[in-house]
Amino acid sequence: MNGGSRYDMHRDRARKAIARQKEASEREREARVARDIEVLAMLATPGASLSSVAADVGLSKSMVAYIERTARASFENAEQARAYLAKHSGASSEAV
């Protein structure tokens, strides 16, 4: 049946598109985690401020403050955050 084969073709394409979307979402989540880790590490550097970090990475001060607040709820320090990223994304400690 021609209608059935067209349906099957579109179903298969939709499934592939959904799989790509899920993969992209996971990559985006991993990128946010990596960004947050680096922002936290920058903030932990002596002399760093919300303003300097924001200017250096091209984020707003409020976004840097948000990253700091939410990350502190998840990790006690930057080392814990690095360990989490290495464990969950396969990144090496040199990359973070």
Side-chain angles (χ1 to χ4, degrees):
M1 178 185 283
N2 192 9
S5 65
R6 279 191 13 223
Y7 178 90
D8 292 345
M9 177 187 67
H10 291 298
R11 180 202 59 216
D12 293 345
R13 287 180 181 175
R15 286 178 177 170
K16 288 177 183 177
I18 291 166
R20 286 193 310 271
Q21 183 180 21
K22 287 178 181 178
E23 291 169 7
S25 291
E26 181 59 21
R27 284 192 309 272
E28 183 180 356
R29 186 198 65 76
E30 289 172 355
R32 279 193 309 271
V33 169
R35 175 206 62 193
D36 292 356
I37 289 168
E38 297 305 334
V39 166
L40 288 174
M42 291 172 72
L43 288 169
T45 303
S49 67
L50 288 176
S51 296
S52 65
V53 170
D56 287 341
V57 296
L59 294 172
S60 68
K61 234 169 70 170
S62 61
M63 184 62 180
V64 173
Y66 173 79
I67 291 168
E68 183 179 37
R69 279 191 316 273
T70 57
R72 287 189 190 278
S74 301
F75 305 110
E76 290 181 28
N77 56 46
E79 200 55 43
Q80 282 184 347
R82 283 188 193 93
Y84 175 88
L85 180 62
K87 180 179 178 183
H88 290 89
S89 71
S92 69
S93 59
E94 294 86 37
V96 286

